[in-house]
Amino acid sequence: MSTFKAPKGTYDLLPPDSARYLAVREAIAAPLRGSGYGYIETPGFESVELFARGVGESTDIVTKEMYAFETKGGDRLALRPEGTASVLRAALEANLHKAGNLPVKLWYSGSYYRYERPQKGRYRHFSQVGAEAIGAEDPALDAELIILADQAYRSLGLRNFRILLNSLGDKECRPVYRAALQDFLRGLDLDEDTLRRAEINPLRVLDDKRESVQKQLTGAPLLRDHLCDACKAYHEEVRELVTAAGVVFEDDPRLVRGLDYYTRTTFEFVHDGLGSQSAVGGGGRYDGLSEMIGGPALPSVGWALGVDRTVLALEAEGVELELPAATSVFAVPLGDEARRVLFAKVTELRKNGVAADFAYGGKGLKAAMKAANRSGARYALILGERDIEEGVIQLKDLESGEQTAVGVNEVVAELESRLG
Ligand code: HAM
């Protein structure tokens, strides 16, 4: 062991477990690719100001959790704590919204960083796959995203997740509600920190996890009862479209998200097998974000699903993903001449698209066969001195144990036909 360890709140993805992470990313991306979303990558860091303005000056993410630093050149940058602000920044910078084809639909996959208190399911480096649909106000778009996330989770075999849905109103009705909530909160017995939060961002108080606070919130006014007619109609349409698609959700009038840019539709995917870090994904509409970062009005909606927590949710449900074996054929040479012949066969197999591996390091038969079995390969190719004289290679089916001698020049075609 070296003297170094992965930093606190981080962990390494190692085989064979890492294959599950790749499969989860792939399963989330697949329905997006099939629905007109194009792949986008943005830098791992951005200007601090982008997140301060986008995610919100008073959010925990910006005030407590950002990895912010000053570069040698004097720029104030931060490791990205989330993807939405960056993706919108990139779309605006490249004028994607002016190409005359709205909404601009983008998906991404990557690492995000938050200086949080680490615990199971909560890390300082984590991984998300996300989707953003930029520049259209259409309840069908909100519904599409909710349906695609549901499809992604179901394709993985997840069952015990729930979809929580709410509307946070818009710039017409939210301020009215905010004032009503503030009035209510001022009358409660709250600590100083919470009272301060009530003044800056009263909706966040609804999200307070402490029971002493939750008890007092029983009679709090709900945004649901303050929505303007336009927001009400919009939300009703989203609900109907999602329901018509056969996707079950729960109305959660208390759902507030930890980022300030949300308007109207907000949702969270929670899994009941995960304890306190139960949100496997979340998102919503952010109609004002573009203007908040200096762009034109571009109503948009998106989500991000947490890869780490999705893997934990699969574990909690005992779902075993069907992962194809990484290697189909494993070559076992016995001697120098056999090594040259089999190495050439392995190269040829790989060129033909057959996943093949090789017993390196001059292993004896026993150790090499052990490596073959460990590789998960269906077939082993074994070549000894007598085989070379006879012009054959032993082809062993590692599932049935059956072994046949195949001509050196026929073996690649034989394997291709057996592997379909
Ligand atoms: P978020 O709810 O902050 O939303 O994060 C989305 C998901 O990322 C969470 O549900 C969770 O699964 C995962 N996640 C967040 N923090 C951590 C952590 N410390 N450790 C492990 N997993 C974590 C957003 O990030 C928004 N950008 C989503 C969005 C896209 N809204 C609109 N478009």
Side-chain angles (χ1 to χ4, degrees):
M1 201 179 76
S2 101
T3 40
F4 295 107
K5 291 191 168 161
K8 185 174 172 192
T10 72
Y11 63 104
D12 302 305
L13 288 185
L14 306 167
D17 292 346
S18 51
R20 265 188 292 158
Y21 286 75
L22 282 179
V24 164
R25 291 193 187 110
E26 193 45 50
I28 300 172
L32 297 171
R33 282 202 195 96
S35 309
Y37 289 76
Y39 179 66
I40 181 169
E41 256 181 56
T42 64
F45 49 80
E46 297 270 355
S47 134
V48 164
E49 193 56 24
L50 173 69
F51 299 119
R53 283 215 244 158
V55 176
E57 210 89 61
S58 72
T59 58
D60 282 353
I61 292 181
V62 168
T63 57
K64 300 183 193 156
E65 298 169 3
M66 226 155 40
Y67 283 89
F69 55 97
E70 192 174 311
T71 66
K72 289 188 175 33
D75 294 326
R76 294 275 302 152
L77 300 177
L79 299 186
R80 57 185 181 186
E82 64 105 43
T84 309
S86 313
V87 167
L88 188 54
R89 192 269 308 141
L92 290 171
E93 189 174 333
N95 281 321
L96 297 186
H97 60 295
K98 288 188 185 157
N101 192 19
L102 296 177
V104 176
K105 301 210 285 187
L106 301 166
W107 77 273
Y108 52 93
S109 172
S111 292
Y112 297 86
Y113 308 86
R114 294 183 193 174
Y115 190 75
E116 296 199 74
R117 198 167 45 76
Q119 64 178 89
K120 184 166 174 156
R122 188 165 69 195
Y123 310 105
R124 291 180 172 175
H125 165 261
F126 58 96
S127 158
Q128 292 182 343
V129 177
E132 313 291 351
I134 296 164
E137 186 186 291
D138 184 338
L141 201 52
D142 308 42
E144 165 176 291
L145 280 159
I146 295 170
I147 294 162
L148 291 176
D150 181 79
Q151 193 182 325
Y153 286 138
R154 286 189 189 283
S155 77
L156 282 164
L158 270 189
R159 292 292 171 268
N160 303 334
F161 65 91
R162 294 180 290 131
I163 302 174
L164 310 179
L165 184 63
N166 193 20
S167 172
L168 289 182
D170 63 7
K171 57 178 186 289
E172 302 302 318
C173 53
R174 185 142 46 148
V176 182
Y177 168 71
R178 196 186 128 104
L181 180 63
Q182 247 161 3
D183 268 349
F184 173 87
L185 294 174
R186 283 182 192 128
L188 300 184
D189 177 24
L190 299 170
D191 59 276
E192 226 170 274
D193 262 4
T194 314
L195 280 174
R196 201 172 317 121
R197 180 176 297 164
E199 294 309 315
I200 303 167
N201 194 348
L203 271 75
R204 291 293 297 158
V205 178
L206 295 179
D207 207 25
D208 199 308
K209 301 280 185 286
R210 289 170 297 179
E211 208 180 311
S212 58
V213 177
Q214 277 304 324
K215 242 192 233 147
Q216 298 191 64
L217 291 174
T218 316
L222 292 175
L223 186 48
R224 186 171 60 189
D225 304 322
H226 287 75
L227 289 181
C228 60
D229 288 344
C231 285
K232 237 185 256 172
Y234 193 95
H235 194 56
E236 208 36 56
E237 181 75 15
V238 173
R239 294 179 72 259
E240 277 171 26
L241 288 165
V242 174
T243 305
V247 173
V248 178
F249 60 87
E250 296 169 23
D251 291 306
D252 182 355
R254 294 245 174 141
L255 176 71
V256 206
R257 307 253 309 119
L259 307 96
D260 278 353
Y261 49 60
Y262 292 110
T263 52
R264 290 193 168 169
T265 314
T266 44
F267 45 84
E268 216 155 74
F269 305 92
V270 295
H271 193 277
D272 294 322
L274 293 188
S276 65
Q277 302 308 312
S278 61
V280 287
R285 186 156 271 288
Y286 48 95
D287 293 340
L289 179 56
S290 174
E291 287 153 296
M292 275 147 64
I293 62 169
L298 280 174
S300 307
V301 57
W303 51 239
L305 310 189
V307 175
D308 311 76
R309 288 187 197 167
T310 302
V311 169
L312 289 174
L314 289 168
E315 272 166 26
E317 281 196 43
V319 177
E320 279 298 332
L321 298 179
E322 274 182 41
L323 301 173
T327 303
S328 302
V329 177
F330 198 94
V332 175
L334 304 170
D336 280 347
E337 175 63 10
R339 198 168 88 237
R340 281 187 287 272
V341 175
L342 274 192
F343 190 70
K345 290 296 169 199
V346 162
T347 303
E348 193 182 342
L349 282 165
R350 288 172 176 168
K351 272 189 196 154
N352 292 0
V354 175
D357 204 354
F358 191 81
Y360 291 103
K363 287 187 186 60
L365 180 62
K366 206 169 148 201
M369 287 310 291
K370 214 168 164 183
N373 283 314
R374 213 180 295 137
S375 77
R378 175 71 194 271
Y379 296 103
L381 289 179
I382 307 155
L383 186 60
E385 268 165 40
R386 166 115 49 90
D387 300 315
I388 294 175
E389 279 165 26
E390 292 172 9
V392 298
I393 296 177
Q394 300 297 327
L395 171 57
K396 184 168 182 179
D397 183 332
L398 293 172
E399 240 167 55
S400 66
E402 195 184 309
Q403 185 169 316
T404 32
V406 181
V408 175
N409 297 325
E410 282 82 59
V411 77
V412 170
E414 173 66 18
L415 277 167
E416 282 183 306
S417 100
R418 287 208 198 187
L419 288 162

